[in-house]
Amino acid sequence: MQNVIDSLRAGREQAVTTLLELLSIPSVSTDPDAASDVKRCAHWVAEKLTATGMPDVRVIDTAGHPIVYAQDLSAGPDRPTVLFYGHYDVQPVDPLNLWTNPPFEPTVRDNKVFARGATDDKGQVFLHMVALEAMRRELGSLPINIKLLIEGEEEIGSPNLAPFVSEHADMLACDCVVVSDTSMFAPGQPSIVYGLRGLAYMQIDVTGPNRDLHSGSYGGAVHNPINALAQIIAKLKDEHGRILIPGFYDDVLDLTVEERSDLASLGHSDDRLKADVGVKDLFGEQGYTSIERLGARPTLDCNGILGGFTGEGAKTVLPSKAMAKVSMRLVPHQRTADIAQKFIDYVHAVAPAGVTVTVTDLHGADPVLVPRDTPAIHAAVKALSETYNAPCKFTREGGSIPVVLLFDTVLKAPTVLMGFGLNNENAHSPDEHFDLDNFHLGSEAAVRFYTYLASSVA
Ligand code: BES
Ligand code: ZN
């Protein structure tokens, strides 16, 4: 294995150069105008996989963005089969003016690469491609059977991948799944994530009068959609952080005493969190610590709000429309479809008279807990702790990866969430970046993971 690691180290510069190419493709999945770039990105990934020796590479069209699938099963039936999952699509870039460099002109500064998708998830996908290429180059073949599933719709809730997994369960059959789309606990502290939250993402549209009105002539006699929307939003969550939607907590799995003490011992610091995000006080559901609130408790947030006059100066107007985007992060055993329906019913129930309210379910993801005691987890722990020369922590993360639950329920395969990002790398926000040390060490950890897994019964 050492020759593979040496080869990775010798190839670091080339790996970064190629990563910059991938990061320059604006594969924003939610933007209809970017569809051809998303497709171009799928083909870039497929061509790279072919160029690095993957024998069977396909770009599979869907009703949305393409799926890249590749496999090399030449290790044979006596060796474990690993399904690698990742995504090549990225989040939108706005607000564009807050980027130091344009988001699709990747730049290296302070040993970090800055670009949309750097840490989420192109950099983390590419480090596995680099690892597999080095193994093939130095060893002549791979010690495990590998299937790669790299999609272009993760950031919009994987609407086409979910049915694809169910319909192609035989093709995707594997002993375990590996995903690098999460964060490390802290710099230098490798971690395996064993729980991800789910998501229900909703849009509320409120319509009042048939046109914008003079607020002097009509204000006081006609309900204002922005005020009505604010009333609705205020009824979603109380001042203690509890969500007020009836039945919202019905299926929430409580933390066990043991889990609470494990999470407490991770060494999370509220002061560090406050300093990181620039707030004087934290806010969250009473009775829970921050680390519990972030990974193991559900929550509700407004993501955006629109309405009325927001330009310079003052304009006395009673607007015709207002809109808000609201998302809820879910935990086992909540289900996104059930929570979305409860949200819709509640918003209609609390909507004031005088306005028309419509609620749309935009997308979602089910939460998941993965087993912590599997051969693949053991291989990952060994690989990560050796690579970082530090013990590997087990954490729960607040983000969502929609298809991970399906790997369990449909493929019956345990997933290893072995991420190399850092929480403060600005995923989904301006100046997203990825630490190049973690990019390179991630490749080394991936080589060790695949190697150790080869000699275990997955
Ligand atoms: N990489 C994230 C998931 C993630 C974020 C895991 C933070 C752990 C911590 C992923 O690409 C993502 O952003 N997912 C979306 C999914 C959603 C659009 C259905 C998310 O969590 O918002
Ligand atoms: Zn993301």
Side-chain angles (χ1 to χ4, degrees), residues 386-409:
E386 269 178 26
T387 303
Y388 282 89
N389 198 19
C392 177
K393 305 215 176 201
F394 280 87
T395 62
R396 286 175 73 157
E397 283 261 24
S400 312
I401 305 178
V403 294
V404 173
L405 184 68
L406 296 184
F407 297 145
D408 173 29
T409 55

Side-chain angles (χ1 to χ4, degrees), residues 87 120 154-155 157 181-182 199 329 363 397 399-402 428:
H87 63 98
D120 182 11
E154 194 273 349
E155 298 289 7
D181 192 22
T182 49
L199 186 75
R329 292 284 170 181
H363 65 227
E397 283 261 24
S400 312
I401 305 178
H428 297 201

Side-chain angles (χ1 to χ4, degrees), residues 4-75:
V4 182
I5 302 288
D6 291 342
S7 165
L8 279 177
R9 290 179 185 167
R12 283 182 169 196
E13 209 171 308
Q14 180 58 50
V16 172
T17 306
T18 314
L19 172 62
L20 300 191
E21 259 183 51
L22 172 59
L23 292 173
S24 70
I25 308 174
S27 49
V28 181
S29 49
T30 198
D31 178 4
D33 292 338
S36 63
D37 285 318
V38 179
K39 191 169 186 177
R40 181 158 66 89
C41 196
H43 284 276
W44 187 98
V45 172
E47 278 157 27
K48 271 301 157 229
L49 288 169
T50 303
T52 55
M54 284 297 295
D56 179 0
V57 181
R58 313 171 203 173
V59 176
I60 302 169
D61 283 330
T62 71
H65 301 303
I67 295 165
V68 180
Y69 178 75
Q71 60 179 26
D72 180 352
L73 308 180
S74 54

Side-chain angles (χ1 to χ4, degrees), residues 1 78-84 135 143-146 174-178 374-383 414 416 418 445-458:
M1 184 168 63
D78 297 339
R79 293 292 178 85
T81 298
V82 185
L83 175 67
F84 170 81
M135 292 179 91
I144 39 101
N145 300 298
I146 186 98
C174 57
D175 296 294
C176 67
V177 183
V178 61
T374 63
I377 294 275
H378 298 158
V381 168
K382 192 157 150 42
V416 179
M418 180 173 84
V447 165
R448 293 191 172 98
F449 170 72
Y450 293 122
T451 306
Y452 295 143
L453 195 66
S455 52
S456 74
V457 186

